[in-house]
Amino acid sequence: MSTAEIIVRAAVASDADRLNELARLFTPGLRTSNTDFGANFRALLQDPNWHLAVAVEQDSLSGYVAAQDYGRGLRGSFSVGRIHDLFVAPGSRRSGTGRALVESAFAWARQRPAPMILDWQATPESVAFYESLGFKPDFVGDFPEYPGFTLDLRRVAER
């Protein structure tokens, strides 16, 4: 499947059930009830500090990305953000879906009011994906088996 067949759009309330299914594929054993998941999802849709986007392929949701802007620190001239989730359904992997979703999070980060440092951690099997986008893994931290990655937009804003 080519990237031309992938539509990435903002998540909407009616995506809740399918997004819940995808989240449970991403995190087997997820302990959040369906009701709580739906309530959390609807609350985040209303929060301007969150980016929730979905990929649509052949009229079905095939993946999603969830990122949060924590805002500026007391002494900071920049914002800190995090990609909490980036998930693509197994049948849609290696089709450009992950790239399209993560690019939507990067575009969102670039449009925030303050320059942002956006970070995220990766599963061992997704490290090569982020490396293919030009990022270098940071294996230092509490969970070196889940390396971190960073998009630092402070330098872009200084230009």
Side-chain angles (χ1 to χ4, degrees), residues 70-83:
Y70 290 106
R72 295 178 190 201
L74 179 62
R75 296 170 285 112
S77 60
F78 60 90
S79 181
V80 175
R82 179 161 188 83
I83 296 176

Side-chain angles (χ1 to χ4, degrees), residues 12-137:
V12 296
S14 61
D15 294 330
D17 289 343
R18 178 62 179 145
L19 206 63
N20 188 3
E21 293 171 10
L22 291 171
R24 290 176 191 285
L25 285 173
F26 185 33
T27 309
L30 183 66
R31 295 178 187 213
T32 303
S33 72
N34 292 339
T35 301
D36 286 346
F37 182 93
N40 292 345
F41 175 65
R42 285 187 299 280
L44 295 180
L45 285 176
Q46 301 303 312
D47 188 331
N49 294 312
W50 276 82
H51 172 71
L52 295 167
V54 295
V56 181
E57 297 177 57
Q58 300 175 351
D59 297 323
S60 178
L61 296 189
S62 60
Y64 74 98
V65 64
Q68 181 182 13
D69 182 348
Y70 290 106
R72 295 178 190 201
L74 179 62
R75 296 170 285 112
S77 60
F78 60 90
S79 181
V80 175
R82 179 161 188 83
I83 296 176
H84 292 280
D85 293 4
L86 173 64
F87 181 75
V88 176
S92 295
R93 293 182 184 160
R94 300 190 182 281
S95 67
T97 303
R99 179 181 296 266
L101 285 165
V102 80
E103 287 294 339
S104 81
F106 295 166
W108 167 81
R110 287 183 187 98
Q111 295 171 359
R112 300 301 294 165
M116 181 182 283
I117 296 176
L118 182 66
D119 67 9
W120 63 95
Q121 285 179 277
T123 60
E125 51 276 357
S126 65
V127 170
F129 165 72
Y130 293 111
E131 289 176 325
S132 77
L133 298 176
F135 292 94
K136 299 208 180 311

